[in-house]
Amino acid sequence: FAKIEDPFNRLIIKSALEILKEDELEIVLLHNSGLKHKELAKMLNVPLSTVLSKYKRSLAKMKKFLQEN
């Protein structure tokens, strides 16, 4: 998120992130900061499959939001 320099694009991404639930947001931000899914699962004490499904679902929610707006 910090790598996005264009203020308009930052606002769009911020809006898309705001639709996520707290746990979804945490997974998306931590993964995009460089942590691997396995590391997230261990850190959050949840199964890897949970991290993977929440990440995938979160991206789909954001994509749908961005396409509709």
Side-chain angles (χ1 to χ4, degrees):
F1 186 64
K3 296 177 184 178
I4 300 170
E5 295 180 15
D6 181 359
F8 181 72
N9 287 339
R10 286 179 69 86
L11 182 61
I12 291 171
I13 298 298
K14 184 176 184 283
S15 297
L17 289 170
E18 288 176 350
I19 68 163
L20 299 178
K21 295 177 185 174
E22 188 175 329
D23 58 337
E24 296 169 334
L25 178 63
E26 182 177 36
I27 289 170
V28 169
L29 292 179
L30 288 172
H31 179 66
N32 286 321
S33 72
L35 291 174
K36 298 187 184 319
H37 290 113
K38 277 186 177 182
E39 295 170 324
L40 288 173
K42 186 175 181 179
M43 185 174 100
L44 299 173
N45 198 30
V46 296
L48 176 59
S49 60
T50 300
V51 170
L52 292 170
S53 64
K54 286 188 179 201
Y55 183 74
K56 184 177 179 181
R57 195 175 318 125
S58 299
L59 293 183
K61 283 170 69 172
M62 290 174 61
K63 181 179 179 180
K64 182 179 177 187
F65 172 82
L66 292 171
Q67 288 174 338
E68 292 174 352
N69 293 301

